[in-house]
Amino acid sequence: SGKMFTFPEETDTAHVRLTTSRQNLRAVTVCFRSFTDLQREHSLFSLSTPSAANDFLIVKKAADGVIDILAKQNGKLFGGQNYRLNAWLSICSTWDAASGLVQVWIDGKPSSRKFTHSVNINGPIIIVLGQDQDNHGGGFDVKQSFVGMMSDVHMWDYVISPSEIQSYTQGFVSFTPGNVLNWRLLEFQIIGKVLIEGEQWSCFT
């Protein structure tokens, strides 16, 4: 709580590995806050299993305002997103295996809902911030690395409601924290040059 990860440079090694005991997922919601000035493609959240390097992946594409969400290797592009540089953004993405639908929210504004894949995620799961896993736990590419700051990472094993996403976006303490990843009780390992610093998001809200 009150902290952020700072990724200060391009690298194909530095990352944060997040630990969860949950290894089978029928649905996913991921929310986090990030700040960057990158104009190239970069990974924001990477969940990999041995059967699928991109079991759940959130990538900002080089094209202006385009987010790529992959579930079970099947990606969908979301255009027209207000992905601003040099600004703190609250980003959430949801996916449900029953429907196969994926959606992204930026600062509380939703995208269209699109079909990706209707197969559960089965572990062992490795979750990485700062890099895109091109294989299970590795295969990093410096040109996909994240440079900037990240905070308030939460993950649920169900699709949270739009009102919960709004509560998260607005920083209400009443929102239900993630039951897969909870920023307030986060278990993690830092590999390489990633810093833990006092968070800055609340200073700009």
Side-chain angles (χ1 to χ4, degrees), residues 35-50:
F35 184 109
T36 187
D37 65 355
L38 289 175
Q39 295 181 319
R40 60 162 171 78
E41 178 176 314
H42 52 278
S43 173
L44 292 164
F45 183 92
S46 174
L47 186 157
S48 175
T49 64

Side-chain angles (χ1 to χ4, degrees), residues 20 24 27 62 103 134:
T20 176
N24 299 290
Q103 187 173 30
D134 286 335

Side-chain angles (χ1 to χ4, degrees), residues 73-184:
Q73 303 287 134
N74 190 357
K76 284 294 181 291
L77 296 176
F78 295 87
Q81 304 303 307
N82 187 23
Y83 191 92
R84 293 167 289 122
L85 302 182
N86 295 310
W88 279 103
L89 302 177
S90 294
I91 299 174
C92 294
S93 182
T94 63
W95 166 79
D96 177 47
S99 66
L101 295 180
V102 67
Q103 187 173 30
V104 64
W105 300 67
I106 296 184
D107 288 340
K109 297 179 180 178
S111 71
S112 297
R113 290 159 61 78
K114 298 184 180 182
F115 179 79
T116 52
H117 214 291
S118 293
V119 177
N120 294 352
I121 294 172
N122 296 307
I125 287 171
I126 295 178
I127 299 173
V128 164
L129 303 178
Q131 300 285 349
D132 178 359
Q133 300 176 77
D134 286 335
N135 56 57
H136 191 225
F140 303 146
D141 181 345
V142 65
K143 293 304 179 185
Q144 294 176 315
S145 65
F146 176 77
V147 180
M149 293 90 78
M150 192 170 290
S151 184
D152 292 341
V153 182
H154 289 267
M155 179 175 171
W156 298 258
D157 64 357
Y158 58 94
V159 174
I160 68 173
S161 68
S163 62
E164 283 281 357
I165 290 176
Q166 296 298 336
S167 293
Y168 171 86
T169 297
Q170 296 172 38
F172 294 158
V173 295
S174 60
F175 88 94
T176 304
N179 64 347
V180 179
L181 299 173
N182 179 349
W183 183 254
R184 301 164 192 168

Side-chain angles (χ1 to χ4, degrees), residues 50-83:
S51 63
N54 299 319
D55 234 334
F56 192 76
L57 176 67
I58 305 173
V59 174
K60 171 61 179 66
K61 305 296 283 184
D64 187 40
V66 177
I67 303 286
D68 192 9
I69 309 291
L70 290 89
K72 304 299 293 185
Q73 303 287 134
N74 190 357
K76 284 294 181 291
L77 296 176
F78 295 87
Q81 304 303 307
N82 187 23
Y83 191 92

